[in-house]
Amino acid sequence: MISHQYIKQLLQSTDYNKEVTVKGWVRSKRGNKNVAFIALNDGSTIHNIQAVADPNALGDELMKRITTGACLRIAGTLVQSQGQGQTVEIQAKEIEVYGDADAETFPLQKKGHTMEFLREIAHLRPRTNTFGAVLRIRHAMAYAVHKYFNDKGFFYLHSPIITASDAEGAGEMFQVTTSDLNNPPRNEDKSINFKEDFFGKPTNLTVSGQLEGELAAMALGKIYTFGPTFRAENSNTPRHLAEFWMIEPEMAFYEIGDNMDLAEDMLKYLVKYALENCTADVEFLNNMYDKELIARLNSVIENPFKRLTYTAAVEILKQHNNKFEFKIEWGSDLQKEHENFLVEHHKTPVIITDYPKEIKSFYMKQNDDGRTVRGMDVLFPWIGEIIGGSQREENYDKLVKRMREMHIPEKEMYWYLDTRKFGTCPHAGFGLGFERLILFVTGMSNIRDVIPFPRTPKNAEF
């Protein structure tokens, strides 16, 4: 039996004059020699519960230890509050200090802190209202992802973290090795002898679970992966991390239209789930950081996404080329400024399809025109690309030809090609960057503020 009640439940209670015990951390203390008001938070909700204490009854020595950041157990009577801002409060009868907090050096005082400062103390920032809200929303979104796919008949696949393949062909991967870096085993030509390494070949941290996901979809029909992915890209933008989480469904018998339908339906479901189940946290972030947040979230739910071919999108953008730093022409990859313009132009999220094959990955299904592939990107307000996906090339000969053109090693990818040899079928999938979803749902402006402990160039603290 748990020895205390959670603040979230107590704040909703009307069972007055009941004896309760709460445990949590002091957000603030105010009052005088006759009465003290202690705001306590246990992380279950963004709201604090107020405990009213009599310093004379509890003693000066105890009251001096109750400072911002201290951890307490408070036992007392739950009563209807006489003050504004809360419906209940606790008349404290007994207070135990579990852990003191040095009032002079505790870095989270009752004042505004910059996001940059809070990143430097990422081990303490979950105790702030902002990061408590973000982390609760992050949890709810992770749960909603699993619920959505489970209810749709998908199976959750655990794809490997360590891999010998590069799903994107980008080459920006973190290498995994057990070799002595000061004296690695070498071949006669002085190259590193990976046969002596742990796995007997070069291995890396994965950039995607897609390729393994395709293998499972060829047996289970509909699967999704949800796990950490890694990219050794030396990027310090507000939208990039070296370690981040990806949601990647893969579906047998889906074509590009089915893929777009699933992506739109899933995003609407997740945004609606956040509004309905994280109401207090979303309202706090709306009021504190982004006054348009709730309106923007509702807009995504209420409006159909605009679907455009890449060619049609380029024609729209070319008419406004004078506004862009990067001029657009057919064959160019879309930059963030182009993505933002298209979203603002259509006043709704946009799905772009049928990209030039030269700017997309080897596994995307080639269209009959010989120039484009059935790729798709979902563009969101401010975020830009939030989903990237495609119908996959199921034709063995076409896939092999494209791999040769892009210098993807056939021999090492035999297992991937086997799915095109033995009972191939049309199939499709996409990847949703989880942190970009959390950015959108929370209205935060930097991706480093929606993951507990960000991993970025020159930063692996905590």
Side-chain angles (χ1 to χ4, degrees):
M1 193 74 177
I2 194 163
S3 60
H4 65 285
Q5 291 82 33
Y6 286 96
I7 290 172
K8 182 177 182 178
Q9 279 71 46
L10 288 180
L11 290 176
Q12 299 168 348
S13 176
T14 56
D15 191 5
Y16 306 126
N17 300 316
K18 175 185 177 182
E19 296 303 303
V20 298
T21 299
V22 293
K23 299 177 181 181
W25 294 268
V26 177
R27 288 293 175 84
S28 66
K29 184 185 77 170
R30 59 186 176 84
N32 52 46
K33 63 181 181 179
N34 296 315
V35 63
F37 301 96
I38 302 165
L40 203 71
N41 189 281
D42 63 4
S44 62
T45 173
I46 196 165
H47 301 299
N48 306 322
I49 196 164
Q50 178 172 277
V52 182
D54 181 354
N56 297 311
L58 294 170
D60 289 341
E61 287 303 313
L62 176 66
M63 298 308 294
K64 287 177 183 177
R65 296 177 62 193
I66 300 173
T67 61
T68 300
C71 186
L72 310 181
R73 176 184 67 85
I74 301 178
T77 307
L78 189 72
V79 299
Q80 194 166 6
S81 178
Q82 303 302 310
Q84 294 183 340
Q86 68 273 332
T87 57
V88 297
E89 62 187 22
I90 298 172
Q91 294 288 347
K93 296 179 179 177
E94 181 184 340
I95 298 178
E96 178 183 359
V97 179
Y98 282 141
D100 294 291
D102 189 330
E104 299 298 321
T105 61
F106 184 61
L108 296 175
Q109 299 300 321
K110 194 177 181 182
K111 63 177 183 178
H113 297 288
T114 66
M115 293 294 123
E116 291 80 5
F117 171 73
L118 292 174
R119 283 177 214 133
E120 294 174 2
I121 55 167
H123 58 304
L124 293 174
R125 69 179 183 171
R127 298 197 201 182
T128 65
N129 282 336
T130 296
F131 285 94
V134 168
L135 293 176
R136 282 186 293 271
I137 291 171
R138 186 180 170 102
H139 156 78
M141 289 294 88
Y143 173 79
V145 166
H146 289 297
K147 178 172 172 54
Y148 176 82
F149 284 117
N150 181 73
D151 292 352
K152 292 281 184 181
F154 283 68
F155 299 102
Y156 180 30
L157 180 79
H158 296 122
S159 54
I161 301 297
I162 299 173
T163 178
S165 64
D166 179 358
E168 299 297 324
E172 296 170 331
M173 304 177 75
F174 290 102
Q175 190 169 355
V176 175
T177 182
T178 57
S179 294
D180 181 352
L181 297 182
N182 294 313
N183 186 29
R186 295 187 182 276
N187 299 307
E188 290 184 5
D189 63 359
K190 303 301 182 183
S191 62
I192 293 178
N193 182 3
F194 284 103
K195 290 182 179 179
E196 297 295 322
D197 207 347
F198 187 89
F199 292 105
K201 62 171 67 176
T203 52
N204 308 282
L205 297 180
T206 185
V207 299
S208 169
Q210 176 201 320
L211 302 186
E212 292 84 0
E214 286 187 53
L215 310 183
M218 295 301 100
L220 299 175
K222 296 189 297 185
I223 67 91
Y224 71 103
T225 73
F226 186 1
T229 52
F230 308 84
R231 300 204 180 172
E233 183 179 356
N234 189 18
S235 177
N236 279 292
T237 78
R239 298 195 307 157
H240 289 92
L241 291 165
E243 176 184 296
F244 54 99
W245 288 65
M246 287 283 285
I247 299 144
E248 297 178 281
E250 292 290 330
M251 298 75 62
F253 315 114
Y254 270 49
E255 300 194 20
I256 190 67
D258 307 309
N259 211 28
M260 290 189 283
D261 291 344
L262 180 71
E264 180 171 350
D265 185 67
M266 181 192 71
L267 287 168
K268 288 177 181 288
Y269 174 93
L270 294 174
V271 171
K272 185 178 181 183
Y273 189 95
L275 283 169
E276 292 179 350
N277 295 275
C278 307
T279 306
D281 289 321
V282 171
E283 287 178 348
F284 168 80
L285 294 169
N286 184 90
N287 295 334
M288 282 292 293
Y289 295 102
D290 185 349
K291 303 296 184 186
E292 302 299 319
L293 175 59
I294 292 176
R296 195 162 58 247
L297 296 178
N298 279 314
S299 176
V300 166
I301 297 169
E302 294 164 359
N303 297 306
F305 293 5
K306 178 67 177 178
R307 301 184 180 187
L308 288 173
T309 65
Y310 169 87
T311 301
V314 167
E315 288 305 310
I316 293 170
L317 292 168
K318 283 170 67 176
Q319 297 173 27
H320 303 275
N321 247 339
N322 62 313
K323 298 179 180 179
F324 303 133
E325 178 184 354
F326 298 95
K327 307 309 177 190
I328 191 77
E329 60 183 28
W330 201 95
S332 304
D333 209 351
L334 299 185
Q335 303 296 320
K336 187 170 186 287
E337 60 177 342
H338 306 136
E339 296 170 346
N340 286 346
F341 180 89
L342 291 169
V343 172
E344 291 169 8
H345 180 75
H346 292 95
K347 308 298 183 188
T348 186
V350 175
I351 306 180
I352 308 291
T353 60
D354 300 302
Y355 282 86
K357 68 178 184 180
E358 282 74 16
I359 62 173
K360 287 298 181 182
S361 298
F362 73 93
Y363 50 71
M364 295 191 180
K365 183 170 179 61
Q366 300 167 48
N367 285 319
D368 294 337
D369 61 13
R371 302 174 70 212
T372 61
V373 291
R374 295 185 194 175
M376 69 168 214
D377 288 342
V378 181
L379 312 181
F380 257 29
W382 187 83
I383 300 295
E385 179 193 331
I386 195 169
I387 278 179
S390 71
Q391 185 173 338
R392 315 310 191 187
E393 182 57 76
E394 82 276 12
N395 182 283
Y396 179 87
D397 293 331
K398 288 183 178 180
L399 182 59
V400 168
K401 182 182 177 183
R402 189 71 184 129
M403 289 173 70
R404 289 172 180 170
E405 290 172 356
M406 299 185 71
H407 307 292
I408 306 295
E410 295 170 58
K411 187 176 180 181
E412 294 178 18
M413 298 288 287
Y414 75 92
W415 48 271
Y416 187 68
L417 289 168
D418 273 358
T419 59
R420 274 69 174 176
K421 288 171 65 177
F422 309 127
T424 190
C425 71
H427 60 289
F430 59 79
L432 166 63
F434 188 54
E435 281 73 26
R436 291 194 181 184
L437 171 69
I438 306 303
L439 267 182
F440 183 75
V441 171
T442 61
M444 302 299 285
S445 60
N446 194 311
I447 202 165
R448 302 173 194 206
D449 299 328
V450 295
I451 191 168
F453 306 105
R455 297 292 181 251
T456 53
K458 303 295 186 290
N459 176 51
E461 292 299 315
F462 313 109

